[in-house]
Amino acid sequence: MSKKLPTRQEDYSAWYNELVKRAGLAENSAVRGCMVIKPYGYAIWEKMQRQLDDMFKRTGHDNAYFPLFVPKSLFEAEEKNAEGFAKECAVVTHYRLQTDPDRPGKLRVDPNAKLEEELIVRPTSEAIIWSTYKNWIQSYRDLPLLINQWANVVRWEMRTRLFLRTAEFLWQEGHTAHATATEAVAETRQMLDVYAEFAEEHMALPVVKGVKTPNERFAGAEDTYCIEALMQDGKALQAGTSHFLGQNFAKAFDVQFANKEGVREHVWGTSWGVSTRLMGALVMAHSDDEGLVLPPKLAPIQVVIIPIYKTGELDALLERIQPIQQGLAQRGISVKVDSRDTERPGFKFAEWEMKGVPVRLAIGARDLDAGTVEAARRDTKEKLQLPLADVVDSVDRLLNDIQLNIYSKAQQYRVRHTTRVETYDEFKAVLDGEGGFVVAHYDGTSETEERIKEETKATVRCLPLNEPDEEGVCIVTGRPSPRRAWFARAY
């Protein structure tokens, strides 16, 4: 392998950027601010997508697909939403190119091919979807309408970072319509729970479920719920959001239904989404200075087998390894035998360590003769001798243990880096020290929130759903505070 990664301690940002490239997850593209997701990275995203899609379908949702382009008039129909995204929009103004008469062999935009109405490349799909729902919903019998789409969106970012913030990214966005506010809020909370379950059970990532403040709320929503995770540099990352839209979009696009009494009402809406930003969270929450550490449930390759052999022995050894490979595959474990004869075992060990494969089996003829297999765990780097007779069961148990251990380690990190403070000086000292979540009273006003953000670069990540109210005083103004908020510096 090439030279070692920068360490997290010396330069966390450089470590992350280099690891994403070195592990074969993604790279910068020829289009400024956009990325190419490479096969290994896309394989992880596919596993995320498949699991989430199953969870959405179990909760009654169907997939559909809506256009990439949104007419400007539709986009601006919901004013808060349009205003919230206006500075990030890519806009299509013309529909044709032509040969440039002043520069042979070059093209220019045809000045006579201007669109009558500009098209916005979707930064989010509420406008185009709600304009469609107007035709789909007539009666209470059409509700609830539970739709999800897997798509790409464009938000014109000037400062980009692979997976975390790119001009184009992949995501899913759910958009649902309901007969009552109660049903819509229940849907919003249900999908937040789905995201939290996915993060904790599959990504091995502990999250805090909460509601955003008005300052941090999705433009056009009545309430935004979120899951917040903590990365190894002490910064928070918003891992998913679920929005209660009230009747804002229904009124903007006149989506009404006849209720059981025959009275026409506007429907109640939700939207919710997670994106390829989860890939960034996966890297930053678990990986180490040697490379990726992947939870087995999302690892494209869960076990790599590396034959240890002398010249002329490989074919015979591969035959003896085949039953192990087949046994693991039959158990549903994804396994790869690295039989390249162009690289030495040490090179292979380092390469698969960089790619975060949870279990490595090094197998030689001598091991098989002795009835053992050497296993190495990626999470702890511990080496174990597994009995050949029940190697499949042993590896299965090992993978389960690794999944739990990765979660436990991340949870312990969060516990150590969650600090309750009583004063503004304490608040600033924690942020300038090890960082993490800072749990503090504040008076709930936008002014105080903005002041804290300006002075410390920390934002209110959420008001947690599972914490009771607690009377106190604001760390900044001394005014009464009904409950604590969770603050952090964030991505």
Side-chain angles (χ1 to χ4, degrees):
M1 296 291 288
S2 50
K3 64 178 184 174
K4 293 189 77 170
L5 286 170
T7 67
R8 290 162 293 172
Q9 196 68 39
E10 62 194 25
D11 192 334
Y12 192 83
S13 182
W15 164 80
Y16 172 81
N17 292 335
E18 192 64 22
L19 175 51
V20 167
K21 292 172 187 172
R22 201 91 68 85
L25 301 182
E27 63 187 29
N28 293 310
S29 77
V31 184
R32 188 189 177 283
C34 295
M35 64 177 167
V36 173
I37 304 175
K38 298 179 77 174
Y40 193 67
Y42 200 78
I44 299 171
W45 175 244
E46 281 182 316
K47 291 196 88 166
M48 290 181 165
Q49 190 178 28
R50 199 170 298 128
Q51 180 58 40
L52 281 165
D53 202 59
D54 287 346
M55 295 170 88
F56 298 157
K57 290 193 169 90
R58 282 201 296 271
T59 46
H61 300 84
D62 293 311
N63 287 333
Y65 186 80
F66 297 85
L68 173 66
F69 302 114
V70 186
K72 185 161 75 72
S73 57
L74 282 184
F75 187 71
E76 63 195 6
E78 212 295 325
E79 290 177 26
K80 283 184 187 171
N81 192 251
E83 187 182 330
F85 285 102
K87 292 178 181 176
E88 298 177 331
C89 288
V91 185
V92 180
T93 57
H94 292 73
Y95 61 85
R96 188 167 59 217
L97 299 172
Q98 63 178 198
T99 303
D100 188 337
D102 301 322
R103 296 188 305 151
K106 301 294 182 183
L107 296 170
R108 71 174 186 182
V109 174
D110 183 345
N112 298 314
K114 194 170 190 307
L115 291 170
E116 284 184 30
E117 181 180 7
E118 294 95 337
L119 297 173
I120 312 301
V121 182
R122 62 175 170 226
T124 182
S125 296
E126 276 79 2
I128 197 73
I129 288 177
W130 281 91
S131 68
T132 306
Y133 283 2
K134 180 177 169 60
N135 303 321
W136 290 4
I137 297 169
Q138 307 300 329
S139 153
Y140 70 90
R141 294 182 185 88
D142 301 322
L143 298 172
L145 183 58
L146 308 175
I147 301 293
N148 175 64
Q149 83 162 342
W150 292 94
N152 61 338
V153 290
V154 170
R155 296 181 184 175
W156 210 256
E157 299 282 359
M158 301 312 292
R159 297 175 63 191
T160 59
R161 185 182 291 184
L162 295 169
F163 291 121
L164 298 175
R165 200 171 286 277
T166 48
E168 179 197 21
F169 54 90
L170 305 182
W171 76 349
Q172 58 73 215
E173 46 182 322
H175 298 270
T176 71
H178 304 265
T180 67
T182 303
E183 285 178 28
V185 170
E187 163 79 2
T188 311
R189 294 285 294 266
Q190 172 186 247
M191 299 321 292
L192 187 75
D193 289 342
V194 166
Y195 289 153
E197 181 187 340
F198 172 76
E200 299 198 331
E201 294 290 325
H202 294 269
M203 295 180 66
L205 185 65
V207 293
V208 182
K209 291 190 287 190
V211 64
K212 291 287 191 184
T213 62
N215 279 27
E216 298 288 325
R217 187 182 292 157
F218 176 70
E222 293 293 315
D223 266 318
T224 288
Y225 296 85
C226 61
I227 52 170
E228 296 285 331
L230 196 61
M231 304 298 101
Q232 290 180 79
D233 61 346
K235 283 187 179 177
L237 186 137
Q238 180 180 286
T241 50
S242 188
H243 313 290
F244 170 54
L245 303 176
Q247 293 175 308
N248 295 338
F249 284 89
K251 287 178 177 175
F253 294 95
D254 195 29
V255 183
Q256 296 189 49
F257 72 105
N259 66 20
K260 289 180 181 177
E261 288 72 44
V263 179
R264 292 193 67 74
E265 299 177 40
H266 286 101
V267 300
W268 299 80
T270 82
S271 65
W272 30 273
V274 295
S275 75
T276 37
R277 167 174 262 234
L278 291 181
M279 295 283 293
L282 196 67
V283 174
M284 290 197 295
H286 303 315
S287 301
D288 61 24
D289 295 342
E290 280 71 51
L292 291 180
V293 174
L294 294 176
K297 287 184 181 180
L298 293 180
I301 301 166
Q302 294 169 311
V303 177
V304 63
I305 297 174
I306 298 178
I308 308 297
Y309 61 94
K310 292 177 182 171
T311 306
E313 294 179 349
L314 179 57
D315 290 343
L317 180 58
L318 289 175
E319 265 190 53
R320 297 182 70 184
I321 286 172
Q322 194 175 29
I324 300 172
Q325 180 187 4
Q326 288 174 339
L328 291 168
Q330 285 165 3
R331 185 64 66 88
I333 295 167
S334 57
V335 56
K336 179 180 178 65
V337 177
D338 187 346
S339 58
R340 291 175 293 173
D341 59 4
T342 54
E343 305 294 351
R344 296 176 67 81
F347 178 92
K348 294 177 184 180
F349 289 173
E351 181 176 27
W352 295 113
E353 184 173 61
M354 179 68 72
K355 287 181 173 286
V357 174
V359 173
R360 181 183 78 225
L361 302 180
I363 303 177
R366 192 180 300 172
D367 300 306
L368 296 175
D369 292 341
T372 62
V373 173
E374 183 190 271
R377 295 174 58 141
R378 178 63 186 87
D379 60 331
T380 62
K381 302 191 176 66
E382 179 187 1
K383 288 186 179 174
L384 310 154
Q385 292 295 325
L386 306 180
L388 182 59
D390 71 341
V391 68
V392 172
D393 287 339
S394 297
V395 168
D396 204 2
R397 286 193 297 270
L398 196 53
L399 289 168
N400 288 329
D401 190 52
I402 291 169
Q403 182 81 27
L404 293 171
N405 183 56
I406 291 174
Y407 177 84
S408 175
K409 189 176 175 186
Q411 189 177 42
Q412 287 166 21
Y413 179 89
R414 191 184 79 184
V415 168
R416 289 197 308 274
H417 293 84
T418 301
T419 311
R420 295 168 78 85
V421 301
E422 307 301 333
T423 69
Y424 199 27
D425 284 342
E426 276 183 273
F427 183 91
K428 290 187 263 195
V430 171
L431 288 170
D432 291 337
E434 290 205 349
F437 287 122
V438 189
V439 185
H441 280 287
Y442 91 111
D443 60 23
T445 64
S446 289
E447 296 75 26
T448 301
E449 197 174 339
E450 281 301 316
R451 179 181 162 187
I452 292 171
K453 184 177 179 179
E454 194 176 304
E455 293 177 357
T456 69
K457 295 187 171 63
T459 52
V460 178
R461 301 317 304 158
C462 68
L463 305 170
L465 296 174
N466 61 352
E467 284 199 358
D469 290 348
E470 177 195 329
E471 297 292 331
V473 294
C474 174
I475 57 170
V476 178
T477 64
R479 291 199 286 256
S481 160
R483 62 176 302 181
R484 291 177 186 263
W486 284 48
F487 293 82
R489 290 176 181 151
Y491 284 96

